């Protein structure tokens, strides 16, 4: 795929800004970017936090790696180049949602620091919160609800993060939750508390 | 770009459905898909409708062809294949927004009937409203705010819709607005009335 920058297009500025939407909504638009190994619990955690926010009347929405690979990114595989393009596209989509005033729960393995930094760089300061969903590879491989670690260790899947493809831990994530030491409810609660204490969302009832 | 369907991914169903969000919001999530020639007024109309909906407290958001080509789809050009992939991706993104409860104003030339039908097919019945932004090619070429018709007619741009690339008119659009016969405010008003009269949004104050 070439980088064909089209020349006959112009930028149409929005009449309604992200700030306008935040004022109308009463909370900050942002991306919670959940990164971690396969089976670390990213999707489950994202959906748990989404439900807690929805129940408070906030518009939260999960963008999930597997689901986007079924649809928007179905023409991408797991080579380093395709992973890069995968994260580039979902970073852009997450940015659009945040621009629309939504609290995005982005749950992607996103194993490369550089790609996560690029997703962050698309957003205004304070609108991108990196959440490291930490879990030892041993525990992830024990959970293995889809049997993927087993298949990868048998060599049936190539380039599987945590087996034969690298995962680069976040340097300075805003939040770290350890799903092998705390329950999903505790981890979700820690994220909600972070959002409250940093003025992203109003304090809960 | 190959169609590499990844095999090691599974679908995570949402805990919060589109219907849940519609109930909470008090209006229907949907995609207003604005199609038409370059310079027909799609983006301007989309932003005008967005503002009217936002002022009523509804979450509306414009997805604009040019803007997406600057970012998400910056690696695509204007060949028929790239146009197809462009509309495929934006159709998926529009669907995600509608799934999140948003009223999407999708402003894309989207010249091919088949591509628009595919974007429609991603959505539940009654969640995709095709708006034909109709304007004679003569008027579009006279407006030509970016000088693109002139450049295309001089042969400086290839594959320009309305000059040397086809535009397939919608067969059965839900709404037709004629920007060469009515003002932008009148066209926007017609769209709002359609939404009210068909129960998509509450009647305005």
């Amino acid at each position: 795929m070439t980088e064909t920058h089209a020349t006959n297009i112009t930028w149409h500025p929005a009449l309604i800004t992200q700030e306008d939407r935040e004022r109308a909504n009463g909370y900050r638009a942002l991306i919670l970017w959940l990164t971690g190994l396969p089976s670390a619990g990213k999707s489950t955690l994202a959906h748990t936090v989404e439900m807690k926010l929805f129940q408070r009347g906030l518009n939260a929405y999960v963008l999930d790696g597997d689901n986007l690979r079924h649809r928007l990114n179905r023409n991408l595989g797991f080579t380093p180049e395709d992973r890069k393009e995968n994260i580039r596209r979902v970073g852009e989509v997450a940015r659009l949602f945040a621009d629309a005033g939504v609290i995005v729960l982005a749950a992607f393995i996103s194993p490369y620091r550089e790609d996560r930094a690029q997703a962050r760089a698309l957003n205004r300061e304070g609108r991108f919160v990196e959440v490291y969903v930490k879990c030892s590879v041993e525990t992830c491989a024990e959970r293995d609800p889809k049997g993927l670690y087993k298949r990868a260790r048998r060599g049936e899947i190539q380039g599987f993060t945590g087996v034969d493809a690298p995962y680069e831990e976040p340097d300075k994530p805003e939040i770290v939750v350890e799903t092998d030491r705390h329950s999903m409810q505790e981890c979700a609660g820690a994220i909600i508390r972070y959002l409250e204490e940093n003025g992203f969302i109003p304090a809960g009832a």
Side-chain angles (χ1 to χ4, degrees), chain A residues 80-92:
Chain A
E81 297 72 36
D82 276 8
R83 282 177 186 267
K84 196 173 183 60
E85 172 67 4
N86 181 51
I87 296 303
R88 188 191 72 78
R89 287 188 203 168
V90 299
E92 293 286 0

Side-chain angles (χ1 to χ4, degrees), chain A residues 9 19 26 39 57 76 83 89 96 102 126 130 162 169 197 200-201:
Chain A
I9 51 175
E19 293 95 319
S39 306
L76 298 174
R83 282 177 186 267
R89 287 188 203 168
L96 288 170
V102 175
E130 192 169 354
E169 288 199 323
E197 290 172 4
F200 287 91
I201 62 172

